[in-house]
């Protein structure tokens, strides 16, 4: 609602008077803060109880335990937890939803993903550890290609701290908002070639079609799904590991097939998502 306001003074006045959308926002923020602070309090209590039981007890290995053990300020921990919940939940689930749909339309890519997962795990293996996940290049290529076509964040904006000039000579005044459009950029022929509309994981490899190929570096300013420059997403690598783990865990055991074969609708809200979600049939994959 702030972004839609014709002038900044409109929402600032509503905030000062605590009315309308700003009143609702304040109530919503209080609710979110309360829920997150309860999570933090419960974690602190669990850590204290564990410490009391054993003087030599180590802190938990989860991220929240590490933040608390490092002695960060309460507000800092609260805001970091909120950031991980918001940035790391809806975005990754959106990306994987579109990926599973695209794989159902491109079964050869799915077969190659399953082949890579099985070869990494070996005969009878089932350990998807960090090092194994890092080596799953074809899985990552499919994830990148899916996010090129259906980015979790379809558009984003930045505000200029000072007067500046863009590389093409466009002047940007202090306080101006500059919006970029990853959804549109992922579909530009000038950036991705005449086959931009195709789901083509090979475009992410140095040598397309090569077995166990190496991924080629792609400029984040060309593929700004995780932003670029000083504001690049801090959770980028963690997001890839999470998505690889979930996708590999599911595909090695199950086949996912949409109930409806119609083209899904992309809804570009704060987090771009699939209208109505993806209803699927799940079938246990036959072991070879």
């Amino acid at each position: 609602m702030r972004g839609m306001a014709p002038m900044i003074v409109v929402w600032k006045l509503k905030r000062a008077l605590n009315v309308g959308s700003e009143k609702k926002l304040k109530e919503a923020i209080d609710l979110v803060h309360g829920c997150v602070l309860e999570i933090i309090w419960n974690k602190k209590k669990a850590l204290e109880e564990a410490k009391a039981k054993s003087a030599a007890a180590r802190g938990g290995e989860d991220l929240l335990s590490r933040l608390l053990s490092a002695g960060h300020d309460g507000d800092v921990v609260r805001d970091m937890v909120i950031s991980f919940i918001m940035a790391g939940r809806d975005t990754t689930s959106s990306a994987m939803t579109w990926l599973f749909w695209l794989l159902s339309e491109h079964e050869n890519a799915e077969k190659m993903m399953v082949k890579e997962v099985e070869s990494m795990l070996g005969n009878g293996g089932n350990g998807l550890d960090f090092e194994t996940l890092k080596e799953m290049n074809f899985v990552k290529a499919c994830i990148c290609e899916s996010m090129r076509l259906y980015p979790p964040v379809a558009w984003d904006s930045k505000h200029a701290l000072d007067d500046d000039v863009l590389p093409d000579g466009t002047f940007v005044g202090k306080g101006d908002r500059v919006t970029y459009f990853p959804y549109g950029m992922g579909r530009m022929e000038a950036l991705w070639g005449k086959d931009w509309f195709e789901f083509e994981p090979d475009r992410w490899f140095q040598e397309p079609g090569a077995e166990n190929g190496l991924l080629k570096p792609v400029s984040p300013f060309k593929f700004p799904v995780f932003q670029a420059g000083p504001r690049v997403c801090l959770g980028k690598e963690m997001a890839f590991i999470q998505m690889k783990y979930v996708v590999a865990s599911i595909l090695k055991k199950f086949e996912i097939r949409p109930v409806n074969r119609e083209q899904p609708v992309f809804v570009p809200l704060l987090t771009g998502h699939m209208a109505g979600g993806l209803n699927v049939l799940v079938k246990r994959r036959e072991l070879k």
Side-chain angles (χ1 to χ4, degrees):
M1 294 302 291
R2 286 180 176 181
M4 293 169 62
M7 294 182 291
I8 292 178
V9 68
V10 174
W11 68 259
K12 286 192 173 182
L13 182 60
K14 290 165 73 175
R15 182 178 64 179
L17 298 175
N18 193 32
V19 297
S21 58
E22 287 297 316
K23 181 181 179 181
K24 291 182 180 179
L25 176 61
K26 183 177 183 300
E27 293 170 349
I29 290 174
D30 289 342
L31 177 61
V32 172
H33 283 178
C35 292
V36 171
L37 288 173
E38 183 178 354
I39 293 171
I40 295 171
W41 183 85
N42 288 334
K43 176 59 69 174
K44 281 183 177 179
K45 184 178 179 181
L47 291 174
E48 289 170 358
E49 290 175 353
K51 188 175 181 180
K53 290 179 181 178
S54 173
R58 296 175 56 191
E61 294 299 314
D62 61 275
L63 181 64
L64 179 53
S65 295
R66 292 180 178 227
L67 290 172
L68 293 171
S69 299
H72 288 292
D73 177 78
D75 287 350
V76 172
V77 175
R78 179 200 68 195
D79 290 347
M80 291 183 77
V81 170
I82 292 172
S83 293
F84 271 91
I85 291 173
M86 290 185 64
R89 186 184 73 96
D90 291 349
T91 48
T92 49
S93 61
S94 170
M96 287 187 290
T97 299
W98 284 104
L99 175 61
F100 281 120
W101 175 74
L102 284 166
L103 291 176
S104 74
E105 296 287 307
H106 302 83
E107 293 187 20
N108 186 55
E110 180 183 334
K111 290 177 182 177
M112 292 184 68
M113 286 180 73
V114 173
K115 180 181 178 182
E116 181 178 66
V117 172
E118 290 177 342
S119 67
M120 290 286 181
L121 297 179
N123 294 328
N126 60 359
L128 290 169
D129 59 23
F130 180 70
E131 293 302 322
T132 301
L133 291 167
K134 280 203 308 183
E135 297 301 318
M136 290 185 177
N137 287 341
F138 191 78
V139 174
K140 184 174 182 178
C142 288
I143 293 172
C144 288
E145 184 68 348
S146 175
M147 291 193 295
R148 176 183 72 83
L149 292 168
Y150 300 101
V153 179
W155 56 270
D156 201 0
S157 300
K158 305 295 177 190
H159 288 81
L161 186 63
D162 295 300
D163 290 349
D164 205 348
V165 179
L166 298 181
D168 69 348
T170 302
F171 174 76
V172 179
K174 178 179 179 180
D176 285 353
R177 179 169 65 184
V178 179
T179 298
Y180 64 99
F181 189 37
Y183 180 87
M185 291 174 67
R187 294 159 181 269
M188 288 176 63
E189 183 177 324
L191 292 178
W192 301 100
K194 292 184 178 180
D195 65 342
W196 62 263
F197 54 89
E198 295 283 355
F199 176 75
E200 189 54 71
D202 268 1
R203 75 174 80 244
W204 297 89
F205 288 96
Q206 293 180 12
E207 296 182 25
E211 287 285 335
N212 302 317
L214 296 175
L215 294 172
K216 63 183 179 183
V218 176
S219 169
F221 295 95
K222 173 183 176 180
F223 179 61
V225 170
F226 291 97
Q227 306 194 49
R231 295 292 183 178
V232 68
C233 174
L234 296 177
K236 175 182 176 180
E237 296 306 321
M238 187 177 76
F240 272 120
I241 290 297
Q242 286 179 337
M243 290 188 285
K244 284 181 178 181
Y245 183 87
V246 173
V247 171
S249 297
I250 292 174
L251 289 184
K252 73 175 183 175
K253 293 182 179 180
F254 303 104
E255 295 179 16
I256 307 294
R257 295 292 176 263
V259 174
N260 191 337
R261 303 303 301 185
E262 294 180 4
Q263 169 80 30
V265 177
F266 183 75
V267 183
L269 297 178
L270 186 61
T271 299
H273 66 273
M274 185 182 292
L278 182 62
N279 296 312
V280 299
L281 293 172
V282 181
K283 178 183 176 183
R284 187 170 294 277
R285 190 176 297 279
E286 295 181 6
L287 299 177
K288 296 180 181 180

